[in-house]
Coordinates of all heavy atoms in Angstrom, one line a residue:
M1091 N 12.3 -14.4 -0.2 CA 10.9 -14.1 -0.3 C 10.5 -14.1 -1.7 O 11.2 -13.7 -2.6 CB 10.7 -12.6 0.2 CG 10.9 -12.5 1.7 SD 10.7 -10.8 2.3 CE 12.3 -10.7 3.1
Q1092 N 9.4 -14.7 -2.0 CA 8.9 -15.0 -3.3 C 7.8 -14.1 -3.7 O 7.0 -13.6 -2.8 CB 8.5 -16.4 -3.5 CG 9.6 -17.4 -3.2 CD 9.1 -18.8 -3.2 OE1 7.9 -19.1 -3.5 NE2 10.0 -19.8 -2.9
A1093 N 7.6 -13.8 -5.0 CA 6.5 -13.0 -5.5 C 5.2 -13.7 -5.2 O 4.1 -13.1 -5.2 CB 6.7 -12.7 -6.9
G1094 N 5.2 -15.0 -5.0 CA 4.0 -15.8 -4.8 C 3.7 -15.9 -3.3 O 3.2 -16.9 -2.9
C1095 N 4.0 -14.9 -2.6 CA 3.7 -14.9 -1.1 C 2.2 -15.0 -0.9 O 1.4 -14.6 -1.7 CB 4.3 -13.6 -0.5 SG 6.0 -13.5 -0.6
R1096 N 1.8 -15.6 0.2 CA 0.4 -15.7 0.5 C 0.2 -15.3 2.0 O 1.1 -15.4 2.8 CB -0.1 -17.1 0.2 CG 0.6 -18.2 1.0 CD 0.1 -19.6 0.6 NE 1.0 -20.6 1.0 CZ 1.4 -20.9 2.2 NH1 1.0 -20.2 3.2 NH2 2.3 -21.9 2.5
W1097 N -1.0 -14.9 2.3 CA -1.3 -14.6 3.7 C -1.6 -15.8 4.5 O -2.2 -16.8 4.1 CB -2.6 -13.7 3.8 CG -2.3 -12.3 3.4 CD1 -2.5 -11.8 2.1 CD2 -1.7 -11.3 4.2 NE1 -2.1 -10.5 2.1 CE2 -1.6 -10.2 3.4 CE3 -1.3 -11.2 5.5 CZ2 -1.1 -9.0 3.8 CZ3 -0.8 -10.0 5.9 CH2 -0.7 -8.9 5.1
S1098 N -1.0 -15.8 5.7 CA -1.2 -16.9 6.7 C -1.6 -16.3 8.0 O -0.7 -15.9 8.8 CB 0.0 -17.8 6.8 OG -0.1 -18.7 7.8
G1099 N -2.9 -16.1 8.3 CA -3.3 -15.5 9.5 C -3.0 -14.0 9.5 O -3.5 -13.3 8.6
R1100 N -2.1 -13.5 10.3 CA -1.8 -12.1 10.5 C -0.7 -11.6 9.6 O -0.4 -10.4 9.6 CB -1.5 -11.8 11.9 CG -2.7 -12.0 12.8 CD -2.3 -11.6 14.2 NE -3.4 -11.8 15.1 CZ -3.3 -11.7 16.4 NH1 -2.2 -11.3 16.9 NH2 -4.4 -11.9 17.1
E1101 N 0.0 -12.5 8.9 CA 1.2 -12.0 8.2 C 1.3 -12.7 6.8 O 0.7 -13.7 6.6 CB 2.5 -12.2 8.9 CG 2.9 -13.6 9.1 CD 4.3 -13.7 9.8 OE1 4.4 -13.1 10.8 OE2 5.1 -14.5 9.3
L1102 N 1.9 -11.9 5.9 CA 2.2 -12.5 4.6 C 3.3 -13.4 4.8 O 4.3 -13.1 5.5 CB 2.5 -11.4 3.7 CG 2.9 -11.7 2.2 CD1 1.6 -12.2 1.5 CD2 3.5 -10.6 1.5
V1103 N 3.2 -14.6 4.3 CA 4.3 -15.6 4.5 C 5.6 -15.0 3.8 O 5.6 -14.7 2.6 CB 4.0 -17.0 3.8 CG1 5.2 -17.9 3.9 CG2 2.8 -17.6 4.5
G1104 N 6.6 -14.7 4.6 CA 7.8 -14.0 4.1 C 7.8 -12.5 4.4 O 8.9 -12.0 4.4
V1105 N 6.7 -11.8 4.4 CA 6.7 -10.4 4.6 C 5.6 -10.1 5.7 O 4.5 -10.4 5.5 CB 6.4 -9.6 3.3 CG1 6.5 -8.1 3.6 CG2 7.4 -10.0 2.2
T1106 N 6.0 -9.4 6.8 CA 5.0 -9.1 7.8 C 4.4 -7.7 7.6 O 5.0 -6.9 6.8 CB 5.7 -9.1 9.2 OG1 6.7 -8.1 9.3 CG2 6.3 -10.5 9.5
H1107 N 3.4 -7.4 8.3 CA 2.8 -6.1 8.3 C 3.8 -5.0 8.7 O 4.0 -4.0 8.1 CB 1.6 -6.0 9.3 CG 0.4 -6.8 8.9 ND1 -0.3 -6.6 7.8 CD2 -0.1 -7.9 9.6 CE1 -1.3 -7.6 7.8 NE2 -1.2 -8.3 8.9
E1108 N 4.6 -5.4 9.7 CA 5.6 -4.5 10.2 C 6.7 -4.2 9.1 O 7.1 -3.0 9.0 CB 6.3 -5.1 11.4 CG 5.4 -5.2 12.7 CD 4.6 -6.4 12.7 OE1 4.6 -7.3 11.8 OE2 3.9 -6.6 13.7
Q1109 N 7.1 -5.2 8.4 CA 8.1 -5.0 7.3 C 7.5 -4.1 6.2 O 8.3 -3.3 5.7 CB 8.5 -6.4 6.8 CG 9.4 -7.2 7.7 CD 9.6 -8.6 7.3 OE1 8.7 -9.2 6.7 NE2 10.8 -9.1 7.5
I1110 N 6.3 -4.4 5.8 CA 5.7 -3.6 4.7 C 5.6 -2.1 5.2 O 6.0 -1.2 4.4 CB 4.3 -4.1 4.4 CG1 4.3 -5.5 3.7 CG2 3.5 -3.1 3.5 CD1 4.7 -5.5 2.3
L1111 N 5.2 -1.8 6.4 CA 5.1 -0.5 6.9 C 6.4 0.2 7.1 O 6.6 1.4 6.8 CB 4.2 -0.4 8.1 CG 2.7 -0.7 7.9 CD1 2.0 -0.9 9.2 CD2 2.1 0.4 7.1
A1112 N 7.4 -0.6 7.5 CA 8.8 -0.1 7.7 C 9.3 0.3 6.3 O 10.0 1.4 6.2 CB 9.7 -1.1 8.4
F1113 N 9.1 -0.5 5.3 CA 9.6 -0.2 4.0 C 8.9 1.1 3.5 O 9.6 2.0 2.9 CB 9.2 -1.4 3.0 CG 9.8 -1.2 1.7 CD1 11.1 -1.6 1.4 CD2 9.1 -0.6 0.6 CE1 11.6 -1.4 0.1 CE2 9.6 -0.5 -0.6 CZ 10.9 -0.9 -0.9
E1114 N 7.6 1.2 3.7 CA 6.9 2.5 3.3 C 7.4 3.7 4.0 O 7.6 4.7 3.5 CB 5.4 2.3 3.6 CG 4.6 3.5 3.2 CD 4.6 3.9 1.8 OE1 4.9 3.1 0.9 OE2 4.2 5.1 1.5
A1115 N 7.7 3.6 5.3 CA 8.3 4.7 6.1 C 9.6 5.1 5.6 O 10.0 6.3 5.5 CB 8.3 4.3 7.6
A1116 N 10.4 4.1 5.2 CA 11.8 4.4 4.7 C 11.7 4.9 3.2 O 12.7 5.7 2.8 CB 12.6 3.1 4.7
H1117 N 10.7 4.6 2.5 CA 10.6 5.0 1.1 C 9.2 5.5 0.8 O 8.4 4.9 0.1 CB 10.9 3.8 0.1 CG 12.1 3.1 0.5 ND1 13.4 3.5 0.2 CD2 12.3 1.9 1.1 CE1 14.3 2.7 0.7 NE2 13.7 1.7 1.2
P1118 N 8.8 6.7 1.3 CA 7.4 7.2 1.2 C 7.0 7.7 -0.1 O 5.8 7.8 -0.4 CB 7.4 8.3 2.3 CG 8.8 8.8 2.3 CD 9.7 7.6 2.1
H1119 N 8.0 8.0 -1.0 CA 7.6 8.6 -2.3 C 7.7 7.5 -3.4 O 8.7 6.7 -3.5 CB 8.5 9.8 -2.7 CG 8.4 10.8 -1.6 ND1 7.3 11.6 -1.4 CD2 9.3 11.2 -0.7 CE1 7.6 12.4 -0.4 NE2 8.8 12.2 0.1
H1120 N 6.7 7.5 -4.3 CA 6.7 6.5 -5.4 C 7.6 7.0 -6.5 O 7.4 8.0 -7.1 CB 5.3 6.4 -5.9 CG 5.1 5.3 -6.9 ND1 4.0 5.1 -7.6 CD2 6.0 4.4 -7.4 CE1 4.1 4.1 -8.5 NE2 5.4 3.7 -8.4
T1121 N 8.7 6.2 -6.7 CA 9.7 6.5 -7.7 C 10.0 5.2 -8.4 O 9.8 4.1 -7.8 CB 11.0 7.1 -7.1 OG1 11.5 6.1 -6.2 CG2 10.7 8.4 -6.3
P1122 N 10.6 5.3 -9.6 CA 11.0 4.0 -10.2 C 12.0 3.2 -9.4 O 12.0 2.0 -9.4 CB 11.6 4.5 -11.5 CG 10.9 5.8 -11.8 CD 10.7 6.4 -10.5
S1123 N 12.9 4.0 -8.7 CA 13.9 3.2 -7.9 C 13.2 2.5 -6.7 O 13.7 1.4 -6.3 CB 15.0 4.2 -7.3 OG 14.4 5.1 -6.5
R1124 N 12.1 3.1 -6.2 CA 11.4 2.3 -5.1 C 10.7 1.1 -5.7 O 10.7 0.0 -5.0 CB 10.3 3.2 -4.4 CG 9.7 2.4 -3.3 CD 8.7 3.2 -2.5 NE 7.4 3.2 -3.2 CZ 6.3 3.7 -2.7 NH1 6.3 4.2 -1.5 NH2 5.2 3.7 -3.4
D1125 N 10.2 1.2 -6.9 CA 9.7 0.0 -7.5 C 10.7 -1.1 -7.6 O 10.4 -2.3 -7.3 CB 9.1 0.3 -8.9 CG 7.9 1.1 -8.9 OD1 7.3 1.3 -7.8 OD2 7.4 1.6 -10.0
E1126 N 11.9 -0.8 -8.0 CA 13.0 -1.8 -8.1 C 13.3 -2.3 -6.7 O 13.6 -3.5 -6.6 CB 14.2 -1.1 -8.8 CG 15.3 -2.1 -9.0 CD 15.0 -3.4 -9.7 OE1 14.2 -3.3 -10.7 OE2 15.4 -4.5 -9.3
R1127 N 13.4 -1.4 -5.7 CA 13.7 -1.9 -4.4 C 12.6 -2.8 -3.8 O 12.9 -3.8 -3.1 CB 13.8 -0.7 -3.4 CG 15.1 0.1 -3.6 CD 15.1 1.1 -2.5 NE 16.2 0.7 -1.6 CZ 17.1 1.5 -1.1 NH1 17.0 2.8 -1.4 NH2 18.0 1.1 -0.3
T1128 N 11.4 -2.5 -4.2 CA 10.2 -3.4 -3.8 C 10.4 -4.8 -4.3 O 10.3 -5.8 -3.6 CB 8.9 -2.8 -4.3 OG1 8.7 -1.5 -3.8 CG2 7.7 -3.7 -3.9
R1129 N 10.8 -4.9 -5.6 CA 11.1 -6.2 -6.2 C 12.3 -6.9 -5.5 O 12.2 -8.1 -5.2 CB 11.3 -6.1 -7.7 CG 10.1 -5.8 -8.5 CD 10.4 -5.7 -10.0 NE 9.2 -5.4 -10.7 CZ 8.9 -4.2 -11.1 NH1 9.6 -3.1 -10.8 NH2 7.8 -4.0 -11.8
R1130 N 13.3 -6.1 -5.3 CA 14.6 -6.7 -4.8 C 14.5 -7.0 -3.3 O 14.9 -8.1 -2.9 CB 15.7 -5.7 -5.1 CG 17.1 -6.3 -4.8 CD 18.2 -5.3 -5.1 NE 18.2 -4.1 -4.4 CZ 17.9 -2.9 -4.9 NH1 17.8 -2.8 -6.2 NH2 17.9 -1.8 -4.1
E1131 N 14.0 -6.1 -2.5 CA 14.1 -6.3 -1.1 C 12.9 -7.1 -0.5 O 13.1 -7.8 0.4 CB 14.1 -4.9 -0.4 CG 15.5 -4.2 -0.7 CD 15.5 -2.8 0.0 OE1 14.8 -2.6 0.9 OE2 16.3 -2.0 -0.5
L1132 N 11.7 -6.9 -1.1 CA 10.5 -7.6 -0.6 C 10.2 -8.8 -1.4 O 9.4 -9.7 -1.0 CB 9.3 -6.6 -0.5 CG 9.5 -5.4 0.4 CD1 8.3 -4.5 0.3 CD2 9.8 -5.8 1.8
G1133 N 10.6 -8.9 -2.7 CA 10.4 -10.0 -3.5 C 8.9 -10.0 -4.1 O 8.4 -11.1 -4.4
I1134 N 8.3 -8.8 -4.2 CA 7.0 -8.7 -4.7 C 6.9 -7.6 -5.7 O 7.8 -6.7 -5.7 CB 5.9 -8.5 -3.6 CG1 6.3 -7.2 -2.8 CG2 5.8 -9.7 -2.7 CD1 5.3 -6.9 -1.7
T1135 N 5.9 -7.6 -6.6 CA 5.7 -6.5 -7.5 C 5.2 -5.2 -6.9 O 4.6 -5.3 -5.8 CB 4.7 -6.9 -8.6 OG1 3.4 -7.1 -8.1 CG2 5.2 -8.2 -9.4
P1136 N 5.4 -4.1 -7.5 CA 4.9 -2.9 -6.9 C 3.3 -2.9 -6.7 O 2.8 -2.4 -5.7 CB 5.3 -1.8 -7.9 CG 6.6 -2.3 -8.5 CD 6.3 -3.8 -8.6
T1137 N 2.6 -3.5 -7.7 CA 1.2 -3.6 -7.5 C 0.8 -4.4 -6.3 O -0.1 -4.0 -5.5 CB 0.6 -4.2 -8.8 OG1 1.0 -3.4 -9.9 CG2 -0.9 -4.3 -8.7
R1138 N 1.4 -5.5 -6.1 CA 1.2 -6.4 -5.0 C 1.5 -5.6 -3.7 O 0.9 -5.7 -2.7 CB 2.0 -7.7 -5.1 CG 1.7 -8.7 -4.0 CD 0.3 -9.3 -4.1 NE 0.1 -10.3 -3.1 CZ -1.0 -10.5 -2.5 NH1 -2.1 -9.9 -2.9 NH2 -1.1 -11.4 -1.6
Y1139 N 2.6 -4.9 -3.7 CA 3.1 -4.1 -2.6 C 2.0 -3.2 -2.1 O 1.7 -3.1 -0.9 CB 4.3 -3.3 -2.9 CG 4.7 -2.3 -1.9 CD1 5.3 -2.6 -0.7 CD2 4.4 -0.9 -2.2 CE1 5.6 -1.6 0.2 CE2 4.8 0.1 -1.2 CZ 5.4 -0.3 -0.1 OH 5.7 0.7 0.9
F1140 N 1.3 -2.4 -3.0 CA 0.3 -1.5 -2.7 C -0.9 -2.2 -2.1 O -1.6 -1.7 -1.1 CB -0.1 -0.6 -3.8 CG 0.9 0.5 -4.0 CD1 1.8 0.5 -5.2 CD2 1.1 1.5 -3.1 CE1 2.7 1.4 -5.4 CE2 2.1 2.5 -3.3 CZ 2.9 2.5 -4.4
V1141 N -1.3 -3.3 -2.6 CA -2.4 -4.1 -2.0 C -2.0 -4.5 -0.6 O -2.8 -4.3 0.4 CB -2.7 -5.3 -2.9 CG1 -3.7 -6.3 -2.1 CG2 -3.2 -4.9 -4.2
L1142 N -0.8 -5.0 -0.4 CA -0.4 -5.5 1.0 C -0.2 -4.3 1.9 O -0.5 -4.4 3.1 CB 0.9 -6.3 0.9 CG 0.8 -7.5 0.0 CD1 2.1 -8.2 -0.1 CD2 -0.3 -8.5 0.6
L1143 N 0.2 -3.2 1.4 CA 0.4 -2.0 2.2 C -0.9 -1.5 2.7 O -1.1 -1.2 3.9 CB 1.1 -0.9 1.4 CG 1.3 0.5 2.1 CD1 2.2 0.3 3.3 CD2 1.8 1.5 1.1
G1144 N -2.0 -1.5 1.9 CA -3.3 -1.1 2.4 C -3.8 -2.1 3.4 O -4.4 -1.6 4.5
R1145 N -3.6 -3.3 3.3 CA -4.0 -4.3 4.3 C -3.3 -4.1 5.6 O -3.9 -4.2 6.7 CB -3.8 -5.7 3.8 CG -4.8 -6.2 2.7 CD -4.5 -7.6 2.3 NE -5.3 -8.0 1.2 CZ -5.1 -9.1 0.5 NH1 -4.2 -9.9 0.8 NH2 -5.9 -9.3 -0.5
A1146 N -2.0 -3.9 5.5 CA -1.2 -3.7 6.7 C -1.6 -2.4 7.4 O -1.7 -2.4 8.6 CB 0.3 -3.6 6.3
A1147 N -1.9 -1.4 6.7 CA -2.3 -0.1 7.3 C -3.6 -0.2 8.0 O -3.9 0.6 8.9 CB -2.3 1.0 6.2
R1148 N -4.5 -1.1 7.5 CA -5.8 -1.3 8.2 C -5.8 -2.3 9.3 O -6.8 -2.4 10.0 CB -6.8 -1.6 7.1 CG -7.1 -0.5 6.1 CD -8.3 -0.9 5.2 NE -8.1 -2.1 4.5 CZ -7.5 -2.3 3.3 NH1 -7.0 -1.2 2.7 NH2 -7.4 -3.5 2.7
S1149 N -4.8 -3.1 9.4 CA -4.8 -4.2 10.3 C -4.4 -3.7 11.7 O -3.6 -2.7 11.9 CB -3.8 -5.3 9.9 OG -2.4 -4.9 10.1
A1150 N -4.9 -4.4 12.7 CA -4.5 -4.0 14.1 C -3.0 -4.2 14.4 O -2.4 -3.3 15.0 CB -5.3 -4.9 15.1
D1151 N -2.4 -5.2 13.8 CA -1.0 -5.5 14.0 C -0.2 -4.3 13.3 O 0.8 -3.9 13.8 CB -0.6 -6.8 13.4 CG -1.1 -8.0 14.2 OD1 -1.4 -7.8 15.4 OD2 -1.2 -9.1 13.6
G1152 N -0.6 -3.9 12.1 CA 0.1 -2.9 11.4 C 0.0 -1.5 12.2 O 1.0 -0.8 12.3
I1153 N -1.2 -1.2 12.6 CA -1.4 0.0 13.4 C -0.6 0.0 14.7 O 0.0 1.0 15.0 CB -2.9 0.2 13.7 CG1 -3.6 0.5 12.4 CG2 -3.1 1.4 14.7 CD1 -5.1 0.4 12.5
A1154 N -0.5 -1.1 15.3 CA 0.3 -1.2 16.6 C 1.8 -1.1 16.3 O 2.5 -0.5 17.0 CB 0.0 -2.6 17.2
A1155 N 2.2 -1.6 15.1 CA 3.7 -1.6 14.8 C 4.1 -0.2 14.4 O 5.2 0.2 14.8 CB 3.9 -2.6 13.7
D1156 N 3.3 0.5 13.6 CA 3.7 1.8 13.1 C 2.5 2.7 12.9 O 2.0 2.8 11.8 CB 4.5 1.7 11.8 CG 5.2 3.0 11.4 OD1 4.8 4.0 11.9 OD2 6.1 2.9 10.6
P1157 N 1.9 3.2 14.0 CA 0.7 4.0 13.9 C 0.8 5.2 12.9 O -0.2 5.5 12.2 CB 0.4 4.4 15.3 CG 1.6 4.2 16.1 CD 2.4 3.2 15.4
L1158 N 1.9 5.9 12.9 CA 2.0 7.1 12.1 C 2.0 6.7 10.6 O 1.3 7.3 9.8 CB 3.3 7.9 12.4 CG 3.3 8.4 13.8 CD1 4.6 9.1 14.1 CD2 2.1 9.4 14.0
T1159 N 2.8 5.7 10.2 CA 2.8 5.3 8.8 C 1.5 4.7 8.4 O 1.0 5.0 7.3 CB 4.0 4.4 8.5 OG1 5.2 5.0 8.9 CG2 4.0 3.9 7.1
A1160 N 0.9 3.9 9.2 CA -0.4 3.3 8.9 C -1.5 4.4 8.7 O -2.2 4.3 7.8 CB -0.8 2.3 10.1
R1161 N -1.5 5.4 9.6 CA -2.4 6.5 9.4 C -2.2 7.2 8.1 O -3.1 7.6 7.4 CB -2.4 7.4 10.6 CG -3.5 8.5 10.5 CD -3.4 9.6 11.6 NE -2.2 10.4 11.2 CZ -1.5 11.1 12.0 NH1 -1.8 11.1 13.3 NH2 -0.5 11.9 11.6
R1162 N -0.9 7.5 7.8 CA -0.6 8.3 6.6 C -1.1 7.5 5.4 O -1.6 8.1 4.4 CB 0.9 8.5 6.5 CG 1.3 9.4 5.4 CD 2.8 9.8 5.4 NE 3.7 8.6 5.6 CZ 4.1 7.8 4.6 NH1 3.6 7.9 3.4 NH2 4.9 6.8 4.9
V1163 N -0.9 6.2 5.4 CA -1.3 5.3 4.2 C -2.8 5.3 4.1 O -3.3 5.5 3.0 CB -0.7 3.9 4.4 CG1 -1.4 2.9 3.4 CG2 0.8 3.9 4.3
R1164 N -3.5 5.2 5.2 CA -5.0 5.2 5.2 C -5.5 6.6 4.7 O -6.4 6.6 3.9 CB -5.5 4.9 6.6 CG -5.4 3.4 7.0 CD -6.2 3.1 8.2 NE -6.1 4.0 9.3 CZ -5.2 4.0 10.2 NH1 -4.2 3.1 10.3 NH2 -5.2 5.0 11.2
E1165 N -4.9 7.7 5.2 CA -5.3 9.0 4.8 C -5.1 9.2 3.3 O -5.9 9.8 2.6 CB -4.6 10.1 5.6 CG -5.2 10.1 7.0 CD -4.4 11.1 7.9 OE1 -3.3 11.6 7.5 OE2 -4.8 11.3 9.0
R1166 N -3.9 8.8 2.8 CA -3.6 8.9 1.4 C -4.6 8.1 0.5 O -5.1 8.6 -0.5 CB -2.2 8.5 1.1 CG -1.8 8.7 -0.4 CD -0.3 8.4 -0.6 NE 0.0 7.0 -0.2 CZ 1.2 6.6 0.1 NH1 2.2 7.4 0.1 NH2 1.4 5.4 0.5
A1167 N -4.9 6.9 1.0 CA -5.9 6.1 0.3 C -7.3 6.8 0.2 O -8.0 6.8 -0.8 CB -6.0 4.7 0.9
A1168 N -7.7 7.4 1.3 CA -9.0 8.1 1.4 C -9.0 9.3 0.5 O -10.0 9.5 -0.2 CB -9.3 8.5 2.8
I1169 N -7.9 10.0 0.4 CA -7.8 11.2 -0.5 C -7.9 10.7 -2.0 O -8.6 11.3 -2.8 CB -6.5 12.0 -0.2 CG1 -6.6 12.7 1.1 CG2 -6.2 13.0 -1.4 CD1 -5.3 13.3 1.6
L1170 N -7.2 9.7 -2.3 CA -7.2 9.2 -3.7 C -8.6 8.7 -4.0 O -9.1 8.9 -5.2 CB -6.2 8.1 -3.9 CG -4.7 8.6 -3.8 CD1 -3.7 7.4 -3.8 CD2 -4.4 9.5 -5.0
A1171 N -9.3 8.0 -3.1 CA -10.6 7.5 -3.4 C -11.6 8.6 -3.6 O -12.4 8.5 -4.5 CB -11.1 6.6 -2.2
A1172 N -11.5 9.7 -2.8 CA -12.4 10.8 -2.9 C -12.1 11.5 -4.3 O -13.1 11.9 -4.9 CB -12.2 11.8 -1.8
A1173 N -10.9 11.6 -4.7 CA -10.6 12.3 -6.0 C -11.1 11.4 -7.1 O -11.7 11.9 -8.1 CB -9.1 12.5 -6.1
R1174 N -11.0 10.1 -7.0 CA -11.5 9.2 -8.0 C -13.0 9.3 -8.1 O -13.6 9.4 -9.2 CB -11.0 7.7 -7.7 CG -11.3 6.7 -8.7 CD -10.7 5.4 -8.5 NE -10.7 5.0 -7.1 CZ -9.6 4.9 -6.3 NH1 -8.4 5.2 -6.8 NH2 -9.7 4.5 -5.0
E1175 N -13.7 9.3 -7.0 CA -15.1 9.4 -7.0 C -15.6 10.7 -7.5 O -16.6 10.8 -8.3 CB -15.7 9.2 -5.6 CG -17.2 9.2 -5.5 CD -17.7 8.9 -4.2 OE1 -17.1 8.1 -3.4 OE2 -18.8 9.3 -3.8
S1176 N -14.9 11.8 -7.2 CA -15.2 13.1 -7.8 C -15.1 13.1 -9.3 O -15.9 13.7 -10.0 CB -14.2 14.2 -7.2 OG -14.5 15.4 -7.7
R1177 N -14.0 12.5 -9.8 CA -13.9 12.4 -11.3 C -15.0 11.6 -11.9 O -15.6 12.0 -12.9 CB -12.5 11.8 -11.7 CG -11.4 12.7 -11.5 CD -10.1 12.1 -12.1 NE -9.8 10.8 -11.7 CZ -9.1 10.4 -10.7 NH1 -8.5 11.3 -9.9 NH2 -8.9 9.1 -10.4
V1178 N -15.4 10.5 -11.3 CA -16.4 9.7 -11.8 C -17.8 10.4 -11.8 O -18.5 10.4 -12.8 CB -16.5 8.3 -11.1 CG1 -17.7 7.6 -11.5 CG2 -15.3 7.5 -11.4
C1179 N -18.0 11.0 -10.7 CA -19.3 11.8 -10.5 C -19.3 12.9 -11.5 O -20.4 13.2 -12.1 CB -19.5 12.2 -9.1 SG -19.8 10.9 -7.9
G1180 N -18.2 13.6 -11.7 CA -18.2 14.7 -12.6 C -18.4 14.3 -14.0 O -19.1 15.0 -14.8
I1181 N -17.9 13.1 -14.4 CA -18.1 12.6 -15.7 C -19.6 12.2 -15.9 O -20.2 12.5 -16.9 CB -17.2 11.4 -16.0 CG1 -15.8 11.9 -16.1 CG2 -17.6 10.7 -17.3 CD1 -14.8 10.7 -16.1
R1182 N -20.2 11.6 -14.9 CA -21.6 11.2 -15.0 C -22.5 12.4 -15.1 O -23.4 12.5 -15.9 CB -22.0 10.4 -13.8 CG -21.4 9.0 -13.8 CD -21.9 8.2 -12.6 NE -21.3 6.9 -12.7 CZ -21.1 6.1 -11.6 NH1 -21.5 6.5 -10.4 NH2 -20.5 5.0 -11.7
H1183 N -22.2 13.5 -14.3 CA -23.1 14.7 -14.4 C -22.9 15.4 -15.7 O -23.9 15.9 -16.2 CB -22.7 15.6 -13.2 CG -23.0 15.1 -11.9 ND1 -24.3 15.0 -11.4 CD2 -22.2 14.6 -10.9 CE1 -24.3 14.4 -10.2 NE2 -23.1 14.2 -9.8
A1184 N -21.8 15.4 -16.2 CA -21.5 16.1 -17.5 C -22.3 15.4 -18.7 O -22.8 16.0 -19.6 CB -20.1 16.2 -17.8
S1185 N -22.3 14.1 -18.6 CA -22.9 13.3 -19.7 C -24.4 13.3 -19.6 O -25.1 13.1 -20.6 CB -22.4 11.9 -19.7 OG -22.8 11.2 -18.5
H1186 N -25.0 13.6 -18.5 CA -26.4 13.6 -18.3 C -27.0 15.0 -18.6 O -28.2 15.2 -18.5 CB -26.9 13.2 -17.0 CG -26.6 11.7 -16.8 ND1 -27.4 10.7 -17.3 CD2 -25.7 11.0 -16.1 CE1 -27.0 9.5 -17.0 NE2 -25.9 9.7 -16.3
S1187 N -26.2 16.0 -18.9 CA -26.7 17.4 -19.1 C -27.2 17.6 -20.4 O -26.9 17.0 -21.4 CB -25.5 18.4 -18.8 OG -25.1 18.3 -17.5

């Protein structure tokens, strides 16, 4: 599998939605060792992994393959987005006072 993987229809050439979600289920915590495993086992960078993980978690194929992990990934993304928006809104309100 190469870092230059590309999407072809429903799967990343070389890495499927199921593989991405299975990797996430096996390694749910972000650690330096997981970053290294991402490169070694999936052949992609950690940044690319998170982009593909989000896509897999939102896809019908990904949800069908591993509904629990897909839901956990979507919920974590929603929490992070809400926290990010809260910080941005807080900064804007403070600067306009």
Side-chain angles (χ1 to χ4, degrees):
M1091 291 174 237
Q1092 300 174 0
C1095 296
R1096 59 182 162 61
W1097 284 97
S1098 173
R1100 294 184 182 172
E1101 71 179 46
L1102 180 70
V1103 175
V1105 183
T1106 65
H1107 296 295
E1108 294 84 357
Q1109 290 170 321
I1110 292 281
L1111 289 169
F1113 186 86
E1114 177 65 17
H1117 311 286
H1119 302 290
H1120 186 184
T1121 63
S1123 64
R1124 183 176 79 172
D1125 288 351
E1126 181 54 38
R1127 287 186 109 137
T1128 302
R1129 287 183 181 94
R1130 187 177 63 246
E1131 294 177 21
L1132 300 177
I1134 56 178
T1135 66
T1137 301
R1138 184 73 176 145
Y1139 168 77
F1140 282 109
V1141 170
L1142 300 177
L1143 178 62
R1145 287 181 187 170
R1148 291 186 307 269
S1149 75
D1151 289 340
I1153 293 167
D1156 189 342
L1158 296 177
T1159 301
R1161 185 186 74 203
R1162 186 175 49 80
V1163 169
R1164 290 191 315 272
E1165 288 174 351
R1166 184 174 56 204
I1169 289 167
L1170 291 173
R1174 186 171 38 252
E1175 185 171 330
S1176 175
R1177 285 191 309 270
V1178 169
C1179 290
I1181 292 169
R1182 286 184 184 155
H1183 292 289
S1185 67
H1186 290 285
S1187 299

